[in-house]
Amino acid sequence: MKTKKRFFIILLIVGFILLIPFIAMQFTDQVNWEAFDFLIMGAVLLSAGILAEFVLRQVKNTEYRIGILAILLMLFLLIWAELAVGIFGSPFAGS
């Protein structure tokens, strides 16, 4: 039961984060996401949330936990930046 509740909370957080660009699209032309963009960002956010939950659940040492979560956050930010602007110029970002 506790696992389902945490997963539901992760889903709510992902949904809330995805609402930000959706609402911004209603007021400005500077945010122009397609359905595929929402799908990919939802998958990236959900993966990061589930991995963070797994780390918090499995790793008991506080220092290791913080280190692994910091690495996870950095990977998330790098993937996000690559998808957004293509900082590495990979074909993955559409370059």
Side-chain angles (χ1 to χ4, degrees):
M1 183 66 178
K2 193 174 185 180
T3 305
K4 289 182 181 181
K5 183 177 179 183
R6 286 185 178 182
F7 183 70
F8 183 69
I9 291 171
I10 292 170
L11 286 175
L12 283 177
I13 291 170
V14 168
F16 177 74
I17 291 172
L18 289 175
L19 272 176
I20 295 170
F22 181 75
I23 292 171
M25 286 173 52
Q26 309 307 312
F27 296 104
T28 182
D29 292 334
Q30 294 181 355
V31 180
N32 187 18
W33 283 29
E34 297 176 6
F36 186 70
D37 298 325
F38 283 100
L39 180 70
I40 294 298
M41 197 60 197
V44 171
L45 285 168
L46 188 60
S47 298
I50 290 172
L51 284 172
E53 170 64 24
F54 180 76
V55 168
L56 290 172
R57 194 178 289 271
Q58 297 296 323
V59 178
K60 301 301 179 198
N61 187 327
T62 305
E63 289 84 17
Y64 288 153
R65 186 185 281 187
I66 292 171
I68 294 170
L69 289 175
I71 291 169
L72 180 63
L73 178 64
M74 298 226 342
L75 283 173
F76 167 76
L77 292 174
L78 281 173
I79 291 170
W80 181 23
E82 177 63 19
L83 290 172
V85 295
I87 59 173
F88 300 116
S90 70
F92 185 63
S95 298

